[in-house]
Amino acid sequence: MKLLVVEDEVRLAQALRRGLQAEGFTVDLAHDGEDGLHRAREGDYAAIVLDVMLPRLSGYRVCQQLRHEGNWVPVLMLSAKDGEYDEADGLDIGADDYLTKPFSYVVLVAHLRALLRRGAPDRPAVLTAGDLTLDPASHTVHRGKQEIALTRREFAVLEVLMRHRGQVVPKSQILTDVWDSHYSGAENVVEVYVGYLRRKVDEPFGRTSLQTIRGAGYRLAADGG
Ligand code: CA
């Protein structure tokens, strides 16, 4: 089985290659994000070990770009410190697993083997409500044929509502799903974001898909409004 290791610390990369070769893997190395992305596109890898902090293009961007292109090769990300998780939390970048440096080699191999057993994840299905569509894989939203540009938070709020289209979703659930569990702000923030969404997915099209259910939460009309 062929693996790609994208890691700019040359000694670590070479140690990983030696160790993984001893486990019976074939290993290609890339030392920056651009080279990693290029190799990931060209090569037929069983999995990719991808460092987060890389020259030229971060591991996050590499993973996001692969997913955007419909490449679902399993990705194990390596992050150097806990703080880097913060970015990962808010971003649905499509990595399959994470390890924080420093990690033990035995743990890396165990994670990798688990990942390989699971294989490439299925591409998430496109969500629809009438002519409103949201593609979690490419992070795009359309009303009919028109693409709508949303921020990451707006996209995440809309995704929650579309996954439960036709049902009332409490503000507290949206908060938990979209903001991390440590978020201590008011539930008002949900209202603000639903307002932003109305101005993008409803008002320009003369629609009312995002409904406020007083005292209960929000509902996205199943027919798209
Ligand atoms: Ca690095």
Side-chain angles (χ1 to χ4, degrees):
M1 262 196 262
K2 196 162 70 150
L3 303 177
L4 175 64
V5 174
V6 189
E7 169 58 76
D8 58 313
E9 291 166 49
V10 175
R11 284 168 63 183
L12 175 59
Q14 286 172 349
L16 286 176
R17 175 157 67 180
R18 277 196 302 275
L20 291 167
Q21 281 172 340
E23 301 280 334
F25 295 108
T26 304
V27 181
D28 287 347
L29 293 183
H31 297 301
D32 68 63
E34 276 183 12
D35 187 31
L37 179 60
H38 176 72
R39 284 172 189 270
R41 282 171 174 155
E42 303 296 316
D44 187 20
Y45 296 104
I48 298 178
V49 178
L50 182 61
D51 188 31
V52 169
M53 301 297 282
L54 290 168
R56 301 167 80 92
L57 199 63
S58 80
Y60 287 122
R61 297 284 163 260
V62 172
C63 186
Q64 201 170 35
Q65 185 59 34
L66 287 172
R67 297 318 189 217
H68 191 77
E69 293 169 7
N71 185 330
W72 294 92
V73 59
V75 170
L76 172 62
M77 292 205 98
L78 305 177
S79 67
K81 56 182 197 292
D82 286 343
E84 285 169 2
Y85 278 100
D86 296 346
E87 192 181 346
D89 274 348
L91 290 172
D92 176 15
I93 50 155
D96 301 282
D97 198 3
Y98 286 87
L99 275 183
T100 304
K101 291 179 182 176
F103 51 84
S104 92
Y105 178 71
V106 176
V107 171
L108 173 80
V109 172
H111 277 250
L112 214 42
R113 291 212 183 277
L115 206 55
L116 292 169
R117 273 198 302 274
R118 291 207 299 272
D122 290 336
R123 187 179 197 280
V126 173
L127 305 173
T128 62
D131 64 349
L132 189 61
T133 58
L134 179 148
D135 185 347
S138 63
H139 266 245
T140 52
V141 172
H142 287 83
R143 178 68 96 171
K145 286 191 172 147
Q146 191 169 336
E147 183 166 353
I148 302 171
L150 298 182
T151 66
R152 281 204 286 275
R153 293 275 191 218
E154 290 166 355
F155 184 93
V157 171
L158 185 62
E159 184 174 359
V160 173
L161 291 168
M162 287 191 74
R163 285 192 187 284
H164 300 89
R165 62 191 172 281
Q167 302 164 27
V168 180
V169 184
K171 276 185 194 176
S172 58
Q173 183 182 337
I174 300 173
L175 258 191
T176 317
D177 286 0
V178 175
W179 282 266
D180 67 48
S181 50
H182 307 300
Y183 183 78
S184 56
E187 291 188 352
N188 277 349
V189 70
V190 177
E191 207 169 300
V192 170
Y193 273 84
V194 169
Y196 293 156
L197 281 171
R198 283 195 177 111
R199 266 170 257 153
K200 292 188 175 179
V201 306
D202 277 348
E203 287 169 16
F205 305 92
R207 313 289 277 274
T208 53
S209 68
L210 291 155
Q211 303 158 351
T212 303
I213 312 299
R214 203 172 288 274
Y218 297 96
R219 179 171 60 206
L220 180 86
D223 64 359

